[in-house]
Amino acid sequence: MAHQHDVIVIGAGGSGLTAALYAAKQGVDVAVISKLYPTRSHTGAAQGGIGAALGNVEEDHWEWHMFDTIKGGDYLTDQDAAEIFAKEVIEAVLELEHMGLPFDRLPSGKIAQRRFGGHTKEYGKAAVHRAAHAADRTGHMILQTLYQQCVKHDLTFYNEFHVTDVIVEDGMAKGVVAYELATGELHTFQAKAIVIASGGYGRAWKVTSNAYTLTGDLQAILYRKGLPLEDMEFYQFHPTGLFPLGILLTEGARGEGGILRNALGERFMERYAPTIKDLAPRDMVARAMYLEVREGRGVGPRKDHVLLDLTHLPAETIHKKLPDISEFAWIYQGVDPTKQPVPVMPTAHYAMGGIPTTLNGEVIADDKNTVIAGLYAAGEVACVSLHGANRLGTNSLGDLVVFGRRAGTAAAKFAKSADFHDLSPDVTGDSRERLERIRNSSGKESVAALRGELQQAMQDYASVFRTEELLAKGVTAVAELHERYENIGVQDKGERYNTELMEALELGYLLEVSEATVHSCLNRKESRGAHAREDYPERDDKNWLKHTLVYKKQGKVGFMYKPVVLGKFEPKARTY
Amino acid sequence: MQVTLKVMRYDPNKAAKPSWVSYQVEAEPMDRVLDLLHKVKYQQDGTLAFRRSCGHGICGSDAMVINGQNRLACKALVKDLTKKAGDTITVEPIRGLPVEKDLVVDMEPFFEAYRAVKPYLINDEPPPDRERLQSPEDRARFDASTKCILCAACTTSCPVFWVNGSYIGPAAIVQAHRFIFDSRDRGARERFQALAASTGVWRCRTAYNCTEACPREIPVTQAIEEVKRAILYDKF
């Protein structure tokens, strides 16, 4: 079936819905394509808060937030992006409140704010209350509120449609091909502008906080076209994944006073970040936890994890401010956090890297900032680059709304002065061929088994600490899995809700983004933010204060580089 | 240990009626029913269809009837559903919505009821430059109903809904509650049109199934009662 909309948004999480609402405000016809029902999107799993210098609890300034974001990103953050972000996120949070978001409140009636990792006052002097929150389900409330607004404005949704191709020809985006899960039908969408907002790819790792559905689909679709992905070596491991599943336990737990302890009961973060201790940025805390375990101070029969201790907090604080994570600990570990410390270890959480974009979300095709006309990206799928080498907690939710707004508005403005493009008669050809090949496949490799091997390889070779040797193994492992993927077999040959076919397709995407990731990790010979190379332990601003653009041409992985946008804040040693 | 996972299977392209199929699966006590469904799909029968996304009870994709009760497959653990090895866990699609394939139902009637209650803040007054103020007490008034993840466990556990699918059902009423009791909202009367209609709250027979079914522990029946009272004693 063929469809036509001025603006197509791919993905219905926080950035997709924000982009759609803002595009619609410009008076253009907008439709959202999502492989899930919109309220299932993973923005809903975000917990602790959205950081903005509202100053409701104590003095705060956008400049402090900007500085924290840049320092948190280990100076790989583009400073123009950080400045726009720190200013505009204030307005964005107030707008979410006006839309009806039920933030927690202070006795004054203002939005309540809590402390969060890496967010400080006066350029690093002490932790600051900056994270506006709704208990520990802030992401859930953002997703619900945005979807409510979409219902109010009667936006068009194509739910449970998997995008299989984005048509980019002659430097222009022309449309989208998508597979309807219910029927097995391929649809074409002509669009004047397209916003990609399809999220991250945490499922490349074995232990992750991410949904099963976060498989890097759109990153991979562009990468296969020879388009670059930016800074893929920077992947965040959230310190407090509920051990061993990896379910997210918010940093807000430490913001409310929670403490990480090793087997000796020591508050070990005092040694790694003397000023802000447990509220150091995530990359530093994750490394500290690994080091504690490596040096034999891990907890449990295998000494393989540490503890998040909340037992000294009033039970009422835990029940009121952290109800969901208390429930997760209870259900999945049988631990009551008011009485016992919770077992935790880092969990694959967030891609700092992704599809390179300008400050208005326009997708960039090369190292000269050449823009693909009509193609936009925002949110975790994109790399603007706000988060640099390490994202601060809460800045993902801020990113969604700030850059979702900018991308949606820019896409609509572009669409107003553009025409629809003719799509070639065989526009679905590549998608159809790929899908039919998988559907008719009868090879001996199991999709689930290959995916399991990929996740184990990424966990073993491209995790918190990295070396040349490990990463070289990772490159080989991913390449071998890529080959074996050609020999998969699926059982479900049907058209109706063929989720097996979709999982096979998704594994193909995971292999592409994993390849881009391990190659980028191996290529960057320094340690910065979340990319910790034990063989190159120092940050090397002389050679590596630059963004990586990884791409694939004729099956070969190559690199280009883009300078970091510097400004107000000179790169300095990063201590907390 | 081994358990039997007995699943109600249905593919309208292949059979006229649903039928039970049993699978022997290796299970750990802390496994989720979702893990068992994955084991069947990945090791025994790739055609098994079900929805899931986050895997920890936040996205609302995987409500199913598990051992006769509506639950999320990702929050139902083997240890709580079995006593010993060899025990059977039954899994069926949620009831009252058309089954599309196996455990996948058509969610559209459910979201249609959701949309009918105008599930968004209604307030035409121009917002202030900063946030609208709200006391912690006023915020607490509707806290429980903000937890709803639209999984449909409540609505599809309701005997009234099973008999009459045009009843808007508990989930839609919880969504209405979330706004009617929000001090910032001015749209209660607009919502009463759908809520007080013959397909609205008065269909509720206080069976409490919804409250028991809710994986988010929302006091659903209480919310419905509060909406009924709000309509009766319209103070808005």
Side-chain angles (χ1 to χ4, degrees), chain A residues 406-427:
Chain A
R406 296 178 76 89
T409 305
K413 285 185 175 162
F414 179 87
K416 278 191 194 174
S417 59
D419 290 319
F420 286 109
H421 305 281
D422 290 331
L423 300 179
S424 87
D426 192 33
V427 65

Side-chain angles (χ1 to χ4, degrees), chain B residues 209-220:
Chain B
N209 284 19
C210 51
T211 300
E212 283 171 22
C214 179
R216 301 284 291 153
E217 294 179 0
I218 301 168
V220 182

Side-chain angles (χ1 to χ4, degrees), chain A residues 336-390:
Chain A
D336 174 354
T338 62
K339 300 195 174 80
Q340 285 169 277
V342 186
V344 289
M345 261 321 253
T347 182
H349 186 58
Y350 186 89
M352 273 71 76
I355 300 168
T357 72
T358 67
L359 298 170
N360 288 321
E362 300 152 291
V363 172
I364 292 168
D366 56 29
D367 53 351
K368 295 173 195 68
N369 285 333
T370 308
V371 160
I372 298 174
L375 192 60
Y376 299 79
E380 189 177 346
V381 76
C383 180
V384 57
S385 150
L386 172 65
H387 309 302
N390 171 65

